[in-house]
Amino acid sequence: MNISYNWLKDLIDVELSPEDLATELTRVGLAVEGIDPHGDDFVLDIDLTSNRPDCLSHLGVAREMAGVTTAEVKSTCEVPAIDAASPFVAIQASDLCYRFTGRIIRNVKVGPSPQWLVDRLEAVGERSINNVADITNYVMLELGQPMHAFDLDRLSEQRIIVRRAKNGETITTLKEEEKTLDDSVLVICDAEKPVAIGGVIGGLDSSITDATTNVLIEVAYFDRASVRSTSRKLNIATEASYRFERGVDINALTRASDRATQLILDLAGGEAGEFIDVYPAPQDKAPVRSADISAATERLTGLNVTKERCVEILDRLGIKTTDGSNFVAPSWRHDIAIEEDLVEEVARHAGYENIAAVLPPAFAAGEYQPEESRKRRMRTALADLGFDEAISYSFIDTRHDALFQPVSGLLSDEAEEKFVTLQDAVIEGAVRMRYSILPGLLEAVRLNLNHQRRDIKLFETGKVFAAKPSEDDLPAEREMLTLVLTGSETFQGKAMAVRELDFYDLKGAVEAALSAAGVYQAGFDATDIAHLRPGQGAVISLHGIVIGSIGRLNDEIAATYKFRQPVYVGEIDLQAALEQASVRPAYRPLARFPGISRDVSFLVKRSLSYVEIRDAIAEQRADLCRDVEFVDIYEGKGLADDERSLTVRLEYLSDVRTLVEDEVEALHEQIVSAVEKRLGIRRRS
C-alpha cells in the first residue's frame, strides 16, 4: 500500500519526519519497506497483512498514528443529505449486498482534474482519467471505501436493482472486455441490463464520459466471499475488489459519499440531489469481553501494562469500553473478535521489543507421552526409507473444495457448509482450513519438479478440519499422516539399474510407518476413490474400520499440477490408527530347525482380496503355520470373467524338532479345507 506523506499530514498533525514516521509505523506492526521521494512529497511503501484492510487508506494509517501520538484525526467535510424515499434502488440479493447508498449530483461538468489531484494520484501509483472518476479513486485511497460513478441518464428508467446475474447474461466492463455471467455473480442493474459487477468493476455502457451531466454516486457494502469468488471466476482484479475482499467499514458509507460529493461540487460543479440509503439489516459489533485486560496481557505476552494504560491504548485505536471489561471495536476493525485480539493491540503499542525472550513455564517431566513416542518412531521409520518430512500451510484455496476424498467421513453431508472458511485470510486466496494435507504436499512436489528434482518422497503429519452439522460446534479436527512419492529409486554408490517407484513402494512405506507405531495387520482393499486413478487405488482398513487410502493420483488432478510422471499418494487417519492399542514386538530365537513351505492356488471371485484369505488362515490358529505370503495372481484364459487365481504360500515350522512330510501335509490339508469352507472358494487344480 502506497501512502503519501503530505496526504497523511492533511488528516493528522504529525511532526515526525518521513523516516521517523516509517520507524513508528513499523514498530506497531505496519512494516514500511521503503520511502521514495516524489517531488515535494514522500511515498511510504507499507506491507500490510490481509487481516488489516482498515489500513488500506490514508485515514486508516492516520488512525494508527493517533494510537502512537497524541494527535487527533481530522474529520473530513460533510454534505447535508437530502433524504428521499425514492423507489429507484432495490436490493434483491441482500445476502450479497448488505447496504447500498446512492447520491445524485446534477449538472456536473466532466473534464480534466486539477494538477494537485493528478499529482496526489500519481504519487501513489494511480493515473488520472477525468475529474469525476479521479475523485472516486481519490476518496477510495483516502477513506478506504471503493465507490463507482454512473452516468444517471444512461441508466434505463434511472433505476438501480441489485441482484444475482442470470445464467448466460453478459456485460462489457470498463476494460472493454465482455464477460459472461452466472447466478453466483452479483450485478448492479438498471431496469434492463447489468451496468456493473458488484464490488469488482463497472460497465462500459453506463460509464462517465465528457457528455455526462448527471451523476449517480454508488457507495455500497458487498459480501467479501462473493467479491473474492467473482473476481477469481472472471479473472478481474481491481483496487475495489482488493478492498471489498478484505472488508470495508459498513458504517462509513455515508461519510465516503459526502466526501466524494463535496469534491465533485468543488471540482466539477453541479448541485447535490437525492440521497438514498438502503440498509435492510443494520449490523452492530458484538462486545469483546476481557475481565482483566491487564492480567490477560501479562499472561499471554509477559508485558506488565496497567489496566488504565491498556484502556487508554485501546481507546485511542477506537476500541471503547464503559465498564473496563466489555470492549466494542469500531466497525472498521474486522479483526477484533476475541480477547487475544485486544491483547495484540495492547502489545504492539506497548512495544513488541519489550517482550522478554523466556521459555514458557513447564510443570511436567521432560519425556515423550506414549502417543508422541509412537509418532516419533513412525517419522523415524519413514526417514530411514528416504522420505523427507514436509510442513505445509493449514490454509488452502477454494479451488481445492472437494477435490480430494477424505477418509473417515470427515466432511459430513449433514453440514450445511462442509468446509471451514476463514473470516480474515492470512494468505492471499487461502480462505479454507485444509480438509486434506494433499494440496500442500502436491504443491511441494510441483515446486521440486520445477527445480528439476524428479525423485521425491515426502510425508507430513498434521491436523485437518471440517465443519460440523451444528453451527454452534467448533470445527471437527483429525490428525493425519499423508505421504507422496514420485520418480525413481536410486542407490548411492551402487551399479544398479534405475527403478521407477510404484504403488507397492508407497504401500510398503505405509506398512513400515504403521509397524513402527505398533500398529499391525492393516488391510488394503482395491476400490475406486475420487482423486485416485481408476483401478489403481485402495482403502486401508484396520479391524474392519477404514483408516486411509492409497494409490496413484488421477490424470485430471495430475494435469492441473502439470505432473508429467506418475505421482502416488496416501492418507492415513493417524488418530484412528493410534487409537488401536500398541502391539509390543514379540521376539523369538532364530529357528534351529528347517521349515517347510507349501503353495496353494485358490479360484476366487474378483471381489475377494488376499487379506480375507490371510485372515481366514490366521483364524485356524495352527501353531506350526508361522507365516502366510502372497505369491501370484492370474487372470485370463481358462477362467471366467469374474474369476481369478490367487496363489499364497504357507510356511510350517517348529522350534523343537524337524517336521516330517506327513504331518505337514495333514495340517496343510486341514487349513486349506477350512479356508475353502469359510470363504466358499476352491483350489485350482
Side-chain angles (χ1 to χ4, degrees):
M1 176 66 190
N2 291 329
I3 295 294
S4 161
Y5 176 71
N6 291 342
W7 196 343
L8 192 63
K9 291 182 68 175
D10 289 347
L11 298 173
I12 186 170
D13 291 324
V14 289
E15 302 301 327
L16 301 173
S17 67
E19 292 76 14
D20 292 339
L21 177 63
T23 299
E24 286 299 310
L25 289 173
T26 301
R27 185 180 68 81
V28 296
L30 274 63
V32 178
E33 296 191 331
I35 305 174
D36 297 321
H38 192 277
D40 63 348
D41 197 2
F42 295 91
V43 178
L44 283 66
D45 181 10
I46 302 180
D47 182 23
L48 291 174
T49 54
S50 60
N51 67 324
R52 291 303 306 272
D54 58 297
C55 291
L56 289 170
S57 66
H58 287 74
L59 176 62
V61 176
R63 287 173 176 146
E64 284 297 304
M65 289 310 303
V68 173
T69 67
T70 58
E72 297 291 336
V73 177
K74 301 175 185 178
S75 61
T76 53
C77 70
E78 295 184 359
V79 177
I82 303 173
D83 293 324
S86 172
F88 80 86
V89 173
I91 298 178
Q92 296 179 358
S94 57
D95 58 328
L96 302 182
C97 178
Y98 302 157
R99 187 179 185 186
F100 189 101
T101 71
R103 188 190 299 274
I104 294 175
I105 308 174
R106 303 183 187 278
N107 301 318
V108 301
K109 185 177 180 180
V110 177
S113 295
Q115 193 59 44
W116 70 265
L117 180 55
V118 175
D119 291 342
R120 280 276 170 94
L121 292 175
E122 289 182 348
V124 294
E126 293 290 326
R127 66 181 181 88
S128 175
I129 302 171
N130 58 54
N131 50 6
V132 174
D134 290 354
I135 287 167
T136 60
N137 287 332
Y138 182 88
V139 175
M140 176 183 69
L141 295 169
E142 181 176 79
L143 304 183
Q145 173 64 52
M147 58 182 60
H148 185 67
F150 294 99
D151 186 328
L152 181 64
D153 297 323
R154 299 174 73 184
L155 298 177
S156 176
E157 300 181 18
Q158 295 191 350
R159 293 179 61 195
I160 287 291
I161 302 172
V162 185
R163 61 170 173 81
R164 292 177 181 270
K166 300 172 184 176
N167 289 323
E169 207 165 21
T170 62
I171 184 174
T172 301
T173 70
L174 289 172
K175 296 182 179 180
E176 299 186 7
E177 298 174 337
E178 184 175 297
K179 298 291 183 180
T180 301
L181 313 175
D182 60 36
D183 60 6
S184 69
V185 176
L186 182 73
V187 288
I188 314 301
C189 303
D190 60 15
E192 298 176 353
K193 61 188 181 304
V195 293
I197 301 173
V200 180
I201 196 170
L204 187 64
D205 292 343
S206 60
S207 62
I208 302 297
T209 67
D210 291 344
T212 299
T213 57
N214 299 317
V215 173
L216 172 65
I217 300 295
E218 168 218 299
V219 188
Y221 187 97
F222 302 107
D223 178 71
R224 288 185 280 174
S226 171
V227 174
R228 182 183 300 113
S229 173
T230 298
S231 176
R232 287 181 173 273
K233 178 178 296 184
L234 300 180
N235 194 27
I236 303 175
T238 61
E239 289 290 334
S241 67
Y242 186 80
R243 286 164 173 78
F244 278 125
E245 287 178 21
R246 287 154 181 78
V248 298
D249 184 0
I250 196 170
N251 291 333
L253 271 57
T254 302
R255 177 180 185 177
S257 181
D258 290 344
R259 177 62 167 154
T261 301
Q262 179 259 328
L263 288 171
I264 290 175
L265 296 180
D266 289 348
L267 304 182
E271 304 87 35
E274 299 94 327
F275 178 75
I276 300 92
D277 186 355
V278 182
Y279 196 0
Q283 299 183 5
D284 294 318
K285 292 279 287 188
V288 179
R289 178 162 180 78
S290 177
D292 190 336
I293 185 62
S294 176
T297 300
E298 185 170 9
R299 182 181 77 253
L300 294 172
T301 68
L303 290 172
N304 186 6
V305 186
T306 65
K307 187 172 185 178
E308 292 73 17
R309 174 61 176 151
C310 291
V311 171
E312 178 190 354
I313 290 173
L314 296 173
D315 183 73
R316 293 199 63 80
L317 293 172
I319 304 171
K320 307 296 183 180
T321 182
T322 55
D323 57 7
S325 298
N326 293 286
F327 297 83
V328 179
S331 53
W332 63 80
R333 290 301 300 271
H334 298 281
D335 58 319
I336 306 296
I338 56 177
E339 183 182 51
E340 286 78 359
D341 297 328
L342 300 175
V343 170
E344 181 181 6
E345 296 302 298
V346 172
R348 67 190 183 90
H349 283 274
Y352 287 138
E353 68 276 9
N354 297 320
I355 298 177
V358 296
L359 290 172
F363 306 100
E367 64 181 25
Y368 288 107
Q369 296 301 310
E371 280 199 2
E372 187 58 41
S373 295
R374 296 171 70 185
K375 288 187 280 188
R376 184 177 175 86
R377 291 195 300 269
M378 179 193 68
R379 290 194 294 268
T380 300
L382 289 171
D384 291 343
L385 291 172
F387 281 79
D388 293 309
E389 185 168 9
I391 300 176
S392 59
Y393 289 114
S394 297
F395 317 121
I396 59 176
D397 196 279
T398 53
R399 64 188 174 88
H400 295 111
D401 285 0
L403 192 61
F404 303 99
Q405 181 178 328
V407 298
S408 299
L410 181 68
L411 298 181
S412 172
D413 291 331
E414 299 176 15
E416 182 177 344
E417 172 57 56
K418 295 183 179 183
F419 309 103
V420 180
T421 303
L422 302 176
Q423 292 183 351
D424 295 292
V426 178
I427 305 170
E428 179 73 23
V431 299
R432 301 276 199 238
M433 296 295 290
R434 67 185 181 190
Y435 69 92
S436 170
I437 299 177
L438 278 175
L441 280 186
L442 292 177
E443 284 292 343
V445 171
R446 175 160 61 182
L447 181 64
N448 276 272
L449 290 173
N450 288 343
H451 284 78
Q452 311 304 315
R453 288 195 59 190
R454 69 175 301 272
D455 303 330
I456 303 162
K457 290 182 177 181
L458 297 174
F459 78 93
E460 180 176 356
T461 59
K463 293 287 185 68
V464 294
F465 308 87
K468 288 186 177 179
S470 171
E471 294 181 359
D472 298 330
D473 291 336
L474 293 173
E477 298 182 17
R478 302 294 291 182
E479 187 168 13
M480 306 292 292
L481 165 65
T482 304
L483 305 92
V484 58
L485 60 79
T486 183
S488 59
E489 185 77 274
T490 57
F491 299 91
Q492 186 174 2
K494 300 289 186 181
M496 300 178 66
V498 173
R499 181 181 64 81
E500 292 296 317
L501 296 170
D502 59 23
F503 174 91
Y504 296 101
D505 291 289
L506 189 57
K507 176 176 178 288
V510 169
E511 291 176 319
L514 292 175
S515 296
V519 179
Y520 299 95
Q521 294 188 345
F524 296 80
D525 298 308
T527 187
D528 286 341
I529 298 171
H531 62 275
L532 302 180
R533 208 178 196 195
Q536 298 189 37
V539 294
I540 308 170
S541 57
L542 195 63
H543 306 307
I545 301 172
V546 174
I547 64 166
S549 63
I550 183 175
R552 179 175 171 178
L553 198 65
N554 71 33
D555 295 339
E556 292 77 14
I557 298 177
T560 63
Y561 286 94
K562 298 182 179 179
F563 295 153
R564 295 183 175 85
Q565 60 191 52
V567 175
Y568 298 90
V569 300
E571 285 192 292
I572 301 169
D573 186 336
L574 192 57
Q575 192 169 323
L578 294 181
E579 286 174 357
Q580 304 296 322
S582 177
V583 179
R584 296 180 64 87
Y587 296 94
R588 64 174 63 184
L590 292 175
R592 296 173 54 198
F593 301 96
I596 298 176
S597 62
R598 290 287 185 269
D599 290 356
V600 58
S601 296
F602 293 103
L603 281 176
V604 301
K605 297 293 185 183
R606 288 177 177 268
S607 59
L608 189 72
S609 68
Y610 157 73
V611 173
E612 293 176 272
I613 296 176
R614 183 198 66 187
D615 292 345
I617 294 173
E619 287 177 5
Q620 307 310 309
R621 301 186 181 278
D623 292 338
L624 296 180
C625 183
R626 295 294 178 83
D627 194 19
V628 182
E629 293 181 359
F630 170 80
V631 175
D632 191 19
I633 193 168
Y634 171 77
E635 300 171 350
K637 187 176 180 181
L639 299 182
D641 291 341
D642 63 342
E643 282 187 330
R644 59 184 176 182
S645 172
L646 200 153
T647 304
V648 297
R649 178 170 296 152
L650 286 69
E651 183 179 6
Y652 300 93
L653 182 70
S654 171
D655 293 327
V656 296
R657 59 188 176 83
T658 300
L659 297 177
V660 297
E661 190 77 17
D662 290 345
E663 65 178 324
V664 170
E665 287 296 335
L667 179 57
H668 182 69
E669 178 62 28
Q670 177 184 336
I671 292 174
V672 171
S673 297
V675 170
E676 288 178 318
K677 184 177 180 180
R678 168 72 174 79
L679 299 177
I681 59 179
R682 70 182 191 277
R683 274 171 281 193
R684 184 185 178 197
S685 57

